[in-house]
Amino acid sequence: MNRRQIVAGNWKMNMTLEEGTTLASSIIEKLKPSQTSVILCPPYIHLHSLSTLISGISNLSLGAQNCHFEKSGAFTGEVSAAMVKSTGATYVILGHSERREYFHETESMLAKKVNAVLSQGISPIFCCGEKLESREAGTQEEVVRTQLEGGLFHLDAEAFSKVVIAYEPVWAIGTGKTASKEQAQEMHHFIRQLISHRYNSELANLTTILYGGSCNPGNAHELFSQPDVDGGLIGGASLKADDFIAIINSFPKSE
Ligand code: PEP
């Protein structure tokens, strides 16, 4: 397989400065060199200090959990893509379902955020995924198609090649209810087909698509063994160094 394997940890709104440094240090201590790229996505306050802590570790990077789409200005409490980049972070999670739900992020806002991130030469980790009612109604593919068309498919192929996608069924996030390996594979394959139709099959085959939703050391291996699942976006389990490391070591070829 010629696409990148990634495990990204979304710390959400957890960890004081001291706790975050302890967690990151413990992850660094246990992390083995491998071809899996590991991305820590802590709250903004950690980015600069963790950037110093991880320097020199080739498979470890940092990402923010959000950013604003404007370059600067009177947006109290917001952080721009340039500010994120200035900390040393190289990724930004965009369109997480919690941001869509609690902060009313729309596809058009997300498209602007994607542009802002890419304009800084850093990469979006673009989240998509259906709610339970859509899964039950069988409309999950339509939902994901709309999200990708609205947030990403305005990009040209060159810009799109910098994007990482995370499929995160909302009903699986933080619920302990994971998508089955078949459900994950089916949606990842569908997403790859959409990319192939919009761009081309080469780009589709090179795009890293992560699964997110109650991924843990007990289910990561079967999920990461699916042909179209290239790793995970991990919430709760990324806050425990041993669990996060076990997930990182769950790719079939690392056995
Ligand atoms: C997430 O927040 O992106 C996530 C996947 O959370 P959890 O692993 O806790 O379900």
Side-chain angles (χ1 to χ4, degrees), residues 10 12-13 44 65-69 76-78 93-110 113 131:
N10 175 12
K12 311 195 187 195
M13 195 175 74
Y44 295 123
Q65 298 171 17
N66 178 39
C67 70
H68 199 271
F69 48 79
T76 302
E78 292 292 329
I93 297 173
L94 292 177
H96 190 281
S97 64
E98 289 151 16
R99 302 251 6 133
R100 291 175 187 265
E101 177 81 12
Y102 306 137
F103 301 96
H104 314 293
E105 294 196 351
T106 61
E107 290 336 318
S108 64
M109 278 165 74
L110 291 172
K113 290 186 181 208
K131 293 183 181 169

Side-chain angles (χ1 to χ4, degrees), residues 196-219:
S196 184
H197 289 148
R198 166 63 184 89
Y199 298 99
N200 55 66
S201 58
E202 197 190 344
L203 189 49
N205 284 327
L206 285 171
T207 304
T208 295
I209 308 176
L210 309 180
Y211 168 79
S214 299
C215 189
N216 61 46
N219 58 31

Side-chain angles (χ1 to χ4, degrees), residues 140-154:
Q140 65 271 16
E141 292 187 346
E142 272 167 64
V143 170
V144 168
R145 180 195 281 118
T146 303
Q147 291 171 335
L148 296 182
E149 286 177 352
L152 286 181
F153 283 178
H154 63 285

Side-chain angles (χ1 to χ4, degrees), residues 53-72:
L53 201 67
I54 70 164
S55 78
I57 306 173
S58 61
N59 61 329
L60 191 53
S61 322
L62 291 174
Q65 298 171 17
N66 178 39
C67 70
H68 199 271
F69 48 79
E70 293 291 350
K71 286 197 173 88
S72 62

Side-chain angles (χ1 to χ4, degrees), residues 33-98:
S34 80
Q35 18 170 335
T36 302
S37 299
V38 178
I39 308 169
L40 304 181
C41 302
Y44 295 123
I45 60 147
H46 297 277
L47 289 173
H48 180 59
S49 52
L50 293 193
S51 169
T52 312
L53 201 67
I54 70 164
S55 78
I57 306 173
S58 61
N59 61 329
L60 191 53
S61 322
L62 291 174
Q65 298 171 17
N66 178 39
C67 70
H68 199 271
F69 48 79
E70 293 291 350
K71 286 197 173 88
S72 62
F75 300 100
T76 302
E78 292 292 329
V79 169
S80 72
M83 291 172 191
V84 169
K85 187 187 178 185
S86 73
T87 66
T90 46
Y91 293 88
V92 183
I93 297 173
L94 292 177
H96 190 281
S97 64
E98 289 151 16

Side-chain angles (χ1 to χ4, degrees), residues 5 220-226 229 249-255:
Q5 294 177 335
H221 178 78
E222 71 169 11
L223 288 161
F224 295 0
S225 300
Q226 300 308 302
V229 177
N249 294 333
S250 291
F251 288 93
K253 65 183 173 203
S254 64
E255 280 178 337

